[in-house]
Short mmCIF file of all heavy atoms in Angstrom, two decimals:
data_model
loop_
_atom_site.label_atom_id
_atom_site.label_comp_id
_atom_site.label_asym_id
_atom_site.label_seq_id
_atom_site.Cartn_x
_atom_site.Cartn_y
_atom_site.Cartn_z
N MET F 300 0.88 -1.17 -0.01
CA MET F 300 0.03 -0.02 0.02
C MET F 300 0.91 1.27 0.02
O MET F 300 1.87 1.37 0.73
CB MET F 300 -0.91 -0.01 1.21
CG MET F 300 -2.02 1.03 1.19
SD MET F 300 -3.05 0.96 2.63
CE MET F 300 -3.95 -0.58 2.34
N GLU F 301 0.55 2.20 -0.82
CA GLU F 301 1.37 3.42 -0.89
C GLU F 301 1.02 4.39 0.21
O GLU F 301 -0.15 4.71 0.39
CB GLU F 301 1.18 4.05 -2.30
CG GLU F 301 2.19 5.13 -2.58
CD GLU F 301 2.05 5.62 -3.99
OE1 GLU F 301 1.81 4.76 -4.91
OE2 GLU F 301 2.20 6.82 -4.21
N VAL F 302 2.02 4.87 0.87
CA VAL F 302 1.81 5.83 1.98
C VAL F 302 2.69 7.04 1.72
O VAL F 302 3.88 6.95 1.46
CB VAL F 302 2.21 5.22 3.33
CG1 VAL F 302 2.00 6.22 4.45
CG2 VAL F 302 1.39 3.98 3.61
N LYS F 303 2.10 8.20 1.83
CA LYS F 303 2.86 9.49 1.69
C LYS F 303 3.02 10.11 3.05
O LYS F 303 2.02 10.34 3.75
CB LYS F 303 2.07 10.43 0.79
CG LYS F 303 2.13 10.05 -0.70
CD LYS F 303 1.45 11.06 -1.54
CE LYS F 303 1.52 10.67 -3.02
NZ LYS F 303 0.78 11.61 -3.84
N ASP F 304 4.24 10.35 3.44
CA ASP F 304 4.51 10.97 4.68
C ASP F 304 4.57 12.48 4.56
O ASP F 304 5.24 13.00 3.64
CB ASP F 304 5.86 10.51 5.28
CG ASP F 304 5.71 9.12 5.91
OD1 ASP F 304 4.63 8.71 6.18
OD2 ASP F 304 6.80 8.49 6.08
N MET F 305 3.89 13.16 5.46
CA MET F 305 3.92 14.63 5.49
C MET F 305 4.20 15.05 6.87
O MET F 305 4.00 14.33 7.83
CB MET F 305 2.53 15.18 4.99
CG MET F 305 2.29 14.86 3.52
SD MET F 305 0.51 15.03 3.11
CE MET F 305 -0.15 13.54 3.74
N GLU F 306 4.52 16.35 7.03
CA GLU F 306 4.85 16.90 8.34
C GLU F 306 3.59 17.67 8.85
O GLU F 306 2.93 18.30 8.09
CB GLU F 306 6.05 17.82 8.32
CG GLU F 306 7.35 17.09 8.49
CD GLU F 306 8.50 18.01 8.87
OE1 GLU F 306 8.31 19.27 8.75
OE2 GLU F 306 9.53 17.50 9.23
N ILE F 307 3.43 17.64 10.16
CA ILE F 307 2.30 18.33 10.80
C ILE F 307 2.76 18.92 12.05
O ILE F 307 3.65 18.35 12.78
CB ILE F 307 1.04 17.40 10.98
CG1 ILE F 307 -0.12 18.17 11.42
CG2 ILE F 307 1.42 16.27 11.95
CD1 ILE F 307 -1.41 17.38 11.46
N ASN F 308 2.22 20.09 12.45
CA ASN F 308 2.51 20.68 13.76
C ASN F 308 1.60 20.11 14.77
O ASN F 308 0.47 20.54 15.00
CB ASN F 308 2.38 22.22 13.67
CG ASN F 308 3.41 22.85 12.85
OD1 ASN F 308 4.52 22.48 12.85
ND2 ASN F 308 3.04 23.87 12.10
N LYS F 309 2.06 18.99 15.39
CA LYS F 309 1.25 18.32 16.40
C LYS F 309 2.25 17.81 17.43
O LYS F 309 3.30 17.32 17.11
CB LYS F 309 0.53 17.15 15.74
CG LYS F 309 -0.46 16.42 16.66
CD LYS F 309 -1.18 15.37 15.88
CE LYS F 309 -2.01 14.48 16.78
NZ LYS F 309 -3.21 15.18 17.29
N LYS F 310 1.84 17.90 18.69
CA LYS F 310 2.73 17.53 19.80
C LYS F 310 2.75 16.03 20.02
O LYS F 310 1.70 15.39 20.11
CB LYS F 310 2.40 18.27 21.06
CG LYS F 310 3.50 18.15 22.13
CD LYS F 310 3.17 19.04 23.31
CE LYS F 310 4.25 19.02 24.35
NZ LYS F 310 4.03 19.84 25.53
N CYS F 311 3.94 15.53 20.16
CA CYS F 311 4.10 14.12 20.50
C CYS F 311 3.61 13.84 21.93
O CYS F 311 3.84 14.66 22.82
CB CYS F 311 5.55 13.71 20.34
SG CYS F 311 5.88 12.03 20.84
N GLU F 312 2.99 12.69 22.13
CA GLU F 312 2.49 12.32 23.46
C GLU F 312 3.62 11.91 24.42
O GLU F 312 3.43 11.98 25.63
CB GLU F 312 1.50 11.15 23.33
CG GLU F 312 0.23 11.51 22.53
CD GLU F 312 -0.57 10.24 22.24
OE1 GLU F 312 0.02 9.17 22.18
OE2 GLU F 312 -1.80 10.39 22.14
N LYS F 313 4.74 11.55 23.85
CA LYS F 313 5.82 10.94 24.69
C LYS F 313 6.93 11.90 24.89
O LYS F 313 7.67 11.81 25.86
CB LYS F 313 6.36 9.69 23.96
CG LYS F 313 5.31 8.61 23.73
CD LYS F 313 5.40 7.61 24.85
CE LYS F 313 4.32 6.56 24.68
NZ LYS F 313 4.49 5.42 25.52
N CYS F 314 7.16 12.90 24.01
CA CYS F 314 8.26 13.82 24.17
C CYS F 314 7.75 15.22 23.78
O CYS F 314 6.59 15.38 23.43
CB CYS F 314 9.49 13.38 23.38
SG CYS F 314 9.31 13.57 21.60
N SER F 315 8.63 16.20 23.81
CA SER F 315 8.15 17.57 23.56
C SER F 315 8.23 17.98 22.08
O SER F 315 8.02 19.15 21.73
CB SER F 315 8.97 18.54 24.40
OG SER F 315 10.35 18.36 24.12
N ASN F 316 8.57 17.02 21.22
CA ASN F 316 8.65 17.30 19.81
C ASN F 316 7.28 17.78 19.27
O ASN F 316 6.30 17.19 19.57
CB ASN F 316 9.12 16.02 19.12
CG ASN F 316 9.24 16.23 17.59
OD1 ASN F 316 9.62 17.32 17.15
ND2 ASN F 316 8.89 15.25 16.83
N THR F 317 7.35 18.75 18.45
CA THR F 317 6.04 19.29 17.94
C THR F 317 5.95 19.16 16.41
O THR F 317 5.02 19.71 15.79
CB THR F 317 5.86 20.77 18.32
OG1 THR F 317 7.02 21.50 17.90
CG2 THR F 317 5.68 20.90 19.79
N LYS F 318 6.88 18.47 15.80
CA LYS F 318 6.74 18.19 14.38
C LYS F 318 6.67 16.68 14.12
O LYS F 318 7.70 16.03 14.22
CB LYS F 318 7.90 18.84 13.64
CG LYS F 318 7.74 20.31 13.42
CD LYS F 318 8.42 20.78 12.18
CE LYS F 318 8.06 22.26 11.88
NZ LYS F 318 8.84 22.81 10.78
N LEU F 319 5.53 16.22 13.83
CA LEU F 319 5.36 14.81 13.59
C LEU F 319 5.19 14.54 12.10
O LEU F 319 4.69 15.40 11.36
CB LEU F 319 4.12 14.31 14.37
CG LEU F 319 4.09 14.50 15.87
CD1 LEU F 319 2.85 13.89 16.43
CD2 LEU F 319 5.32 13.88 16.51
N LYS F 320 5.52 13.34 11.75
CA LYS F 320 5.16 12.88 10.40
C LYS F 320 3.80 12.29 10.47
O LYS F 320 3.41 11.62 11.48
CB LYS F 320 6.20 11.82 9.94
CG LYS F 320 7.62 12.32 9.96
CD LYS F 320 7.92 13.06 8.70
CE LYS F 320 9.40 13.38 8.61
NZ LYS F 320 9.75 14.16 7.40
N PHE F 321 3.05 12.40 9.41
CA PHE F 321 1.78 11.70 9.41
C PHE F 321 1.44 11.25 8.01
O PHE F 321 1.94 11.74 7.00
CB PHE F 321 0.64 12.60 9.93
CG PHE F 321 0.06 13.57 8.96
CD1 PHE F 321 -1.14 13.30 8.32
CD2 PHE F 321 0.75 14.72 8.70
CE1 PHE F 321 -1.70 14.20 7.41
CE2 PHE F 321 0.20 15.64 7.77
CZ PHE F 321 -1.01 15.40 7.18
N SER F 322 0.62 10.20 7.94
CA SER F 322 0.20 9.67 6.67
C SER F 322 -1.24 9.20 6.86
O SER F 322 -1.67 8.86 7.97
CB SER F 322 1.07 8.55 6.20
OG SER F 322 1.11 7.52 7.17
N THR F 323 -1.97 9.15 5.78
CA THR F 323 -3.36 8.68 5.90
C THR F 323 -3.58 7.43 5.03
O THR F 323 -2.89 7.29 4.00
CB THR F 323 -4.34 9.79 5.42
OG1 THR F 323 -4.01 10.16 4.08
CG2 THR F 323 -4.25 10.98 6.33
N ARG F 324 -4.43 6.64 5.49
CA ARG F 324 -4.77 5.41 4.74
C ARG F 324 -6.22 5.27 4.62
O ARG F 324 -6.94 5.43 5.64
CB ARG F 324 -4.15 4.16 5.40
CG ARG F 324 -2.67 4.09 5.25
CD ARG F 324 -2.22 2.77 5.84
NE ARG F 324 -0.77 2.81 6.01
CZ ARG F 324 -0.03 1.80 6.51
NH1 ARG F 324 -0.69 0.74 6.92
NH2 ARG F 324 1.25 1.90 6.62
N GLN F 325 -6.70 5.00 3.49
CA GLN F 325 -8.10 4.79 3.24
C GLN F 325 -8.43 3.36 3.51
O GLN F 325 -7.84 2.41 2.93
CB GLN F 325 -8.49 5.13 1.78
CG GLN F 325 -9.94 5.52 1.59
CD GLN F 325 -10.20 6.92 2.18
OE1 GLN F 325 -9.40 7.79 2.06
NE2 GLN F 325 -11.36 7.09 2.78
N MET F 326 -9.41 3.13 4.39
CA MET F 326 -9.78 1.75 4.74
C MET F 326 -10.80 1.31 3.69
O MET F 326 -11.77 2.04 3.38
CB MET F 326 -10.36 1.66 6.15
CG MET F 326 -9.36 2.02 7.23
SD MET F 326 -8.03 0.80 7.31
CE MET F 326 -6.67 1.90 7.78
N ARG F 327 -10.65 0.14 3.25
CA ARG F 327 -11.50 -0.35 2.14
C ARG F 327 -12.76 -1.03 2.67
O ARG F 327 -13.73 -1.20 1.92
CB ARG F 327 -10.72 -1.34 1.25
CG ARG F 327 -9.62 -0.65 0.51
CD ARG F 327 -9.05 -1.44 -0.56
NE ARG F 327 -8.05 -0.71 -1.29
CZ ARG F 327 -8.02 -0.64 -2.62
NH1 ARG F 327 -8.92 -1.27 -3.33
NH2 ARG F 327 -7.13 0.05 -3.22
N SER F 328 -12.77 -1.46 3.90
CA SER F 328 -13.91 -2.16 4.38
C SER F 328 -14.39 -1.64 5.74
O SER F 328 -13.60 -1.01 6.41
CB SER F 328 -13.64 -3.65 4.48
OG SER F 328 -12.62 -3.88 5.38
N GLY F 329 -15.61 -1.89 6.06
CA GLY F 329 -16.07 -1.47 7.38
C GLY F 329 -16.44 -0.01 7.47
O GLY F 329 -16.50 0.67 6.46
N ASP F 330 -16.58 0.48 8.64
CA ASP F 330 -16.97 1.85 8.90
C ASP F 330 -15.80 2.76 9.29
O ASP F 330 -16.01 3.88 9.72
CB ASP F 330 -18.07 1.96 10.00
CG ASP F 330 -19.22 1.00 9.67
OD1 ASP F 330 -19.60 0.93 8.53
OD2 ASP F 330 -19.70 0.35 10.65
N GLU F 331 -14.61 2.24 9.15
CA GLU F 331 -13.46 2.96 9.66
C GLU F 331 -13.19 4.24 8.84
O GLU F 331 -12.78 5.25 9.36
CB GLU F 331 -12.20 2.10 9.54
CG GLU F 331 -12.26 0.81 10.37
CD GLU F 331 -12.19 1.16 11.86
OE1 GLU F 331 -11.48 2.08 12.23
OE2 GLU F 331 -12.91 0.52 12.63
N GLY F 332 -13.48 4.21 7.58
CA GLY F 332 -13.20 5.39 6.74
C GLY F 332 -11.74 5.62 6.56
O GLY F 332 -11.03 4.73 6.12
N GLN F 333 -11.24 6.81 7.00
CA GLN F 333 -9.81 7.12 6.85
C GLN F 333 -9.12 7.07 8.18
O GLN F 333 -9.61 7.65 9.12
CB GLN F 333 -9.70 8.48 6.20
CG GLN F 333 -8.32 8.84 5.83
CD GLN F 333 -8.26 10.11 5.04
OE1 GLN F 333 -8.31 10.12 3.83
NE2 GLN F 333 -8.14 11.21 5.76
N MET F 334 -8.00 6.44 8.21
CA MET F 334 -7.12 6.44 9.43
C MET F 334 -5.94 7.31 9.23
O MET F 334 -5.35 7.33 8.13
CB MET F 334 -6.72 4.98 9.76
CG MET F 334 -7.75 4.22 10.51
SD MET F 334 -7.08 2.64 11.05
CE MET F 334 -6.40 3.10 12.62
N THR F 335 -5.52 8.02 10.26
CA THR F 335 -4.34 8.82 10.18
C THR F 335 -3.26 8.26 11.10
O THR F 335 -3.51 7.99 12.24
CB THR F 335 -4.63 10.30 10.60
OG1 THR F 335 -5.74 10.79 9.83
CG2 THR F 335 -3.40 11.17 10.41
N PHE F 336 -2.06 8.04 10.55
CA PHE F 336 -0.95 7.50 11.32
C PHE F 336 0.02 8.63 11.61
O PHE F 336 0.47 9.31 10.70
CB PHE F 336 -0.22 6.44 10.46
CG PHE F 336 -1.03 5.13 10.26
CD1 PHE F 336 -2.16 5.15 9.44
CD2 PHE F 336 -0.67 4.00 10.90
CE1 PHE F 336 -2.87 4.00 9.28
CE2 PHE F 336 -1.38 2.83 10.71
CZ PHE F 336 -2.48 2.84 9.92
N PHE F 337 0.39 8.80 12.87
CA PHE F 337 1.34 9.75 13.29
C PHE F 337 2.60 9.07 13.77
O PHE F 337 2.57 8.06 14.42
CB PHE F 337 0.79 10.67 14.46
CG PHE F 337 -0.40 11.45 14.08
CD1 PHE F 337 -1.68 10.99 14.33
CD2 PHE F 337 -0.27 12.70 13.40
CE1 PHE F 337 -2.80 11.73 13.97
CE2 PHE F 337 -1.33 13.43 13.08
CZ PHE F 337 -2.61 13.01 13.35
N HIS F 338 3.73 9.67 13.38
CA HIS F 338 5.04 9.11 13.80
C HIS F 338 5.96 10.20 14.25
O HIS F 338 6.15 11.20 13.53
CB HIS F 338 5.68 8.36 12.68
CG HIS F 338 7.03 7.91 12.92
ND1 HIS F 338 7.34 6.84 13.75
CD2 HIS F 338 8.25 8.38 12.50
CE1 HIS F 338 8.69 6.69 13.81
NE2 HIS F 338 9.23 7.61 13.08
N CYS F 339 6.51 10.03 15.42
CA CYS F 339 7.48 11.03 15.97
C CYS F 339 8.90 10.55 15.59
O CYS F 339 9.33 9.49 15.97
CB CYS F 339 7.33 11.10 17.48
SG CYS F 339 8.60 12.17 18.26
N PRO F 340 9.62 11.40 14.80
CA PRO F 340 10.98 11.02 14.41
C PRO F 340 11.97 11.12 15.55
O PRO F 340 13.12 10.62 15.45
CB PRO F 340 11.25 11.99 13.30
CG PRO F 340 10.45 13.18 13.57
CD PRO F 340 9.17 12.65 14.27
N VAL F 341 11.62 11.77 16.66
CA VAL F 341 12.53 11.91 17.80
C VAL F 341 12.58 10.72 18.70
O VAL F 341 13.58 10.16 19.00
CB VAL F 341 12.21 13.19 18.61
CG1 VAL F 341 13.10 13.34 19.81
CG2 VAL F 341 12.25 14.44 17.72
N CYS F 342 11.38 10.24 19.09
CA CYS F 342 11.32 9.11 20.02
C CYS F 342 10.73 7.87 19.39
O CYS F 342 10.56 6.87 20.07
CB CYS F 342 10.53 9.51 21.29
SG CYS F 342 8.81 9.72 21.05
N SER F 343 10.38 7.93 18.09
CA SER F 343 9.84 6.83 17.36
C SER F 343 8.47 6.35 17.85
O SER F 343 8.07 5.26 17.54
CB SER F 343 10.79 5.63 17.36
OG SER F 343 11.98 5.95 16.68
N HIS F 344 7.79 7.20 18.61
CA HIS F 344 6.43 6.92 19.04
C HIS F 344 5.48 6.97 17.79
O HIS F 344 5.57 7.87 17.02
CB HIS F 344 6.00 7.87 20.12
CG HIS F 344 4.57 7.67 20.57
ND1 HIS F 344 4.20 6.42 21.08
CD2 HIS F 344 3.52 8.54 20.68
CE1 HIS F 344 2.87 6.53 21.40
NE2 HIS F 344 2.47 7.75 21.20
N THR F 345 4.63 5.97 17.69
CA THR F 345 3.69 5.90 16.63
C THR F 345 2.31 5.63 17.15
O THR F 345 2.12 4.88 18.02
CB THR F 345 4.04 4.76 15.61
OG1 THR F 345 5.39 4.93 15.20
CG2 THR F 345 3.16 4.75 14.41
N PHE F 346 1.34 6.44 16.64
CA PHE F 346 -0.01 6.23 17.07
C PHE F 346 -0.96 6.57 15.88
O PHE F 346 -0.59 7.20 14.97
CB PHE F 346 -0.35 7.00 18.34
CG PHE F 346 -0.20 8.53 18.18
CD1 PHE F 346 -1.30 9.30 18.01
CD2 PHE F 346 1.05 9.09 18.25
CE1 PHE F 346 -1.14 10.70 17.86
CE2 PHE F 346 1.22 10.48 18.11
CZ PHE F 346 0.10 11.26 17.89
N THR F 347 -2.25 6.16 16.02
CA THR F 347 -3.21 6.40 15.00
C THR F 347 -4.39 7.14 15.51
O THR F 347 -4.71 7.09 16.68
CB THR F 347 -3.67 5.04 14.43
OG1 THR F 347 -4.35 4.30 15.42
CG2 THR F 347 -2.52 4.25 13.81
N GLU F 348 -5.05 7.79 14.59
CA GLU F 348 -6.36 8.45 14.92
C GLU F 348 -7.29 8.20 13.76
O GLU F 348 -6.90 8.15 12.63
CB GLU F 348 -6.09 9.98 15.00
CG GLU F 348 -5.69 10.46 16.38
CD GLU F 348 -5.57 11.95 16.43
OE1 GLU F 348 -6.06 12.61 15.47
OE2 GLU F 348 -4.98 12.41 17.39
N ASN F 349 -8.56 8.10 14.15
CA ASN F 349 -9.58 7.96 13.06
C ASN F 349 -10.12 9.27 12.67
O ASN F 349 -10.21 10.20 13.42
CB ASN F 349 -10.71 7.06 13.58
CG ASN F 349 -10.32 5.63 13.58
OD1 ASN F 349 -9.49 5.15 12.75
ND2 ASN F 349 -10.84 4.88 14.51
ZN1 ZN J 235 8.21 11.88 20.52
#
């Protein structure tokens, strides 16, 4: 699956970094719709939001 990483001004939950990478993925089934993946390049924390 192709993922495009972009930068966003959002604070990491684990450290004070405020520039996270994020990418979106379209879910093909169910009611999920679009999921957003956030990744902190400083502490490698990764989390998702719907
Ligand atoms: Zn972090």
Side-chain angles (χ1 to χ4, degrees):
M300 191 180 288
E301 191 172 323
V302 179
K303 287 184 180 176
D304 282 343
M305 293 163 281
E306 274 195 350
I307 187 172
N308 291 323
K309 184 177 175 71
K310 193 171 182 181
C311 175
E312 298 170 331
K313 300 263 178 169
C314 71
S315 57
N316 180 36
T317 54
K318 280 208 171 173
L319 302 182
K320 301 279 189 181
F321 82 102
S322 59
T323 57
R324 286 186 195 177
Q325 205 74 38
M326 296 295 146
R327 293 193 175 228
S328 61
D330 306 320
E331 296 293 321
Q333 188 173 271
M334 280 188 86
T335 306
F336 291 71
F337 296 96
H338 171 75
C339 176
V341 176
C342 70
S343 295
H344 178 54
T345 304
F346 59 101
T347 61
E348 273 183 13
N349 284 328

